[in-house]
Amino acid sequence: MRQDYFGRKRVLVTGGAGFIGSHLCERLLREGCEVVCVDNFFSGTRANVTHLLENRDFELIRHDVTFPLYVEVDEIYNLACPASPVHYQHDPVQTTKTSVHGAINLLGLAKRLDARIYQASTSEVYGDPTVHPQTEDYWGNVNPIGPRACYDEAKRCAETLFFDYRRQHGLGIKVARIFNTYGPRMHPRDGRVVSNFVMQALQGHPITLYGDGSQTRSFCYVDDLVEGSMRLMESPDGVTGPINLGNPAECTVLELAETVIRLTGSTSRIEYRPLPEDDPKQRRPDITRAREVLDWQPAVSLEDGLTRTVEYFRHVIAAGG
Ligand code: NAD
Ligand code: UDP
Ligand code: UDP
């Protein structure tokens, strides 16, 4: 263990100034860890972690994970990667580099330090799934040359690298397949469905529904996801994943729009737009493995989570965001 001078665990969080990463940094600090947060601020922002900067156990480093990184830590959470289609399709080549070169660099770091390493993989490895709900042994249905491929295929390649570093170098890997996660500090203009609908509803703008709204997703509140991720990191050595982390409560995108309109008391109307290419028709995690291995399941309902998220976006709008 490379614990610090005071005997605390040192934890690296890449993508730590992003939506999920900032919640993870906060939680790790609460648990008494020293946190090194690395981010290039592509889709995250310093504002997400400004409140942590005065904490002497928190360090923020501007760095792009496609370049080598030399720090001394006990554990690594690799979250660095734009996650919303708008962000990851903005510079698709860079997206692939971030997932693949980033994984290589961080696995090299983990190898040198003999540190445990967690990978934020994604339900997108299942593509437009033909198995429903998705279990971890389903190999997926991904278009390798479509507009989502830079994200999906690069995350798949990162999983390959994680398992090869395990087989070849005996690394302690923890691969989580994260399903749609939402909550405070989502980027207000990242184009994801929850941030879009809540911002639109609060501003009285039309709710942009893509397709006929019958496609499904399963939304997990960020606190639940952080809890599951930390349980995975703390699980016995033999537990490598991949393991689905998400909320199995499935709803159609139309139902989500109606719920957001009701919770915000909005007068917005629904405006139908074309469905983006390769948009998955259904998505719901089978979390049997997470229940059995991590004794984990989500605790926050969609209504409660959305209520907290709406509160956050009210503040963002009031602050001129
Ligand atoms: P986010 O965009 O808010 O966070 C990603 C962070 O990574 C940002 O702060 C961004 O600036 C940073 N980053 C991007 N490229 C980088 C690079 N080259 N070097 C250093 N930092 C870089 O998104 P999020 O929702 O918080 O997602 C976090 C992780 O979880 C991502 O890896 C994402 O793929 C994964 N994930 C998220 C979801 C979800 O629904 N939110 C679902 C599945 C997987
Ligand atoms: N690496 C890093 N930090 C470290 C150790 C390695 O960023 O502390 C990078 C290094 O630049 C290398 C990559 O991780 O390109 C993979 O390292 P590994 O030791 O697996 O492979 P090699 O160095 O033999 O290419
Ligand atoms: N979506 C929508 N309106 C929006 C944004 C997204 O109807 O303003 C739909 C999108 O087509 C998809 C679902 O909501 O079917 C989830 O989209 P998101 O980009 O949040 O995540 P992902 O498709 O990666 O699950």
Side-chain angles (χ1 to χ4, degrees):
M1 291 285 254
R2 266 156 302 277
Q3 289 164 343
D4 74 356
Y5 188 80
F6 302 102
R8 283 164 307 197
K9 196 156 60 176
R10 284 184 175 148
V11 184
L12 169 65
V13 180
T14 73
F19 155 52
I20 298 175
S22 62
H23 288 272
L24 178 61
C25 289
E26 226 170 44
R27 176 72 194 277
L28 288 164
L29 288 168
R30 272 210 307 278
E31 301 289 329
C33 300
E34 198 182 311
V35 175
V36 181
C37 169
V38 160
D39 208 295
N40 72 347
F41 305 122
F42 173 70
S43 52
T45 160
R46 275 174 67 87
N48 283 340
V49 290
T50 306
H51 61 297
L52 304 178
L53 288 174
E54 285 185 3
N55 189 325
R56 66 172 191 178
D57 294 329
F58 182 76
E59 184 183 1
L60 177 61
I61 302 175
R62 181 193 287 263
H63 173 80
D64 183 327
V65 296
T66 60
F67 296 96
L69 175 67
Y70 287 80
V71 290
E72 309 302 310
V73 292
D74 302 299
E75 284 177 359
I76 301 165
Y77 285 88
N78 183 32
L79 275 66
C81 183
S84 83
V86 167
H87 283 150
Y88 71 64
Q89 289 168 6
H90 171 75
D91 185 348
V93 173
Q94 176 63 20
T95 299
T96 298
K97 285 182 183 170
T98 292
S99 274
V100 176
H101 291 177
I104 292 171
N105 286 327
L106 292 155
L107 285 162
L109 176 70
K111 188 179 108 188
R112 177 176 64 81
L113 299 173
D114 193 20
R116 278 192 172 185
I117 179 164
Y118 164 105
Q119 166 67 357
S121 190
T122 167
S123 53
E124 286 286 320
V125 302
Y126 302 123
D128 190 3
T130 53
V131 167
H132 193 72
Q134 291 78 57
T135 50
E136 290 87 349
D137 50 16
Y138 174 50
W139 289 354
N141 177 35
V142 174
N143 174 359
I145 57 169
R148 297 175 85 102
C150 60
Y151 184 73
D152 301 8
E153 295 290 19
K155 286 280 189 183
R156 287 169 66 95
C157 182
E159 285 200 12
T160 307
L161 285 160
F162 269 69
F163 279 85
D164 280 335
Y165 267 79
R166 166 101 186 157
R167 281 184 285 260
Q168 213 169 317
H169 302 298
L171 241 62
I173 61 160
K174 305 283 176 187
V175 176
R177 290 187 179 151
I178 303 172
F179 284 64
N180 296 66
T181 299
Y182 70 99
R185 300 200 204 113
M186 290 184 89
H187 192 296
R189 287 173 300 282
D190 69 2
R192 282 190 269 197
V193 69
V194 172
S195 39
N196 264 11
F197 285 3
V198 173
M199 287 292 286
Q200 290 161 347
L202 288 176
Q203 294 173 305
H205 298 159
I207 306 284
T208 53
L209 192 66
Y210 303 160
D212 62 5
S214 65
Q215 70 272 35
T216 68
R217 293 294 186 272
S218 308
F219 297 98
C220 184
Y221 188 66
V222 63
D223 289 358
D224 284 331
L225 192 272
V226 167
E227 174 68 29
S229 299
M230 289 179 62
R231 284 191 189 210
L232 176 58
M233 185 62 111
E234 283 150 24
S235 61
D237 272 341
V239 178
T240 57
I243 196 154
N244 289 339
L245 293 181
N247 193 323
E250 182 180 5
C251 73
T252 67
V253 173
L254 175 60
E255 283 164 353
L256 178 74
E258 288 166 349
T259 308
V260 168
I261 290 171
R262 177 167 53 78
L263 290 177
T264 51
S266 175
T267 54
S268 293
R269 58 184 177 78
I270 291 176
E271 187 176 283
Y272 287 86
R273 300 260 182 96
L275 193 66
E277 196 181 334
D278 292 341
D279 199 276
K281 283 178 276 306
Q282 53 182 4
R283 188 182 288 152
R284 169 157 61 102
D286 181 323
I287 60 163
T288 308
R289 196 180 279 183
R291 279 201 179 99
E292 286 174 4
V293 178
L294 309 178
D295 190 23
W296 172 87
Q297 62 182 9
V300 181
S301 69
L302 184 62
E303 294 248 345
D304 286 352
L306 280 178
T307 303
R308 296 182 214 175
T309 309
V310 166
E311 264 326 289
Y312 171 77
F313 280 114
R314 276 192 208 284
H315 289 296
V316 169
I317 291 168

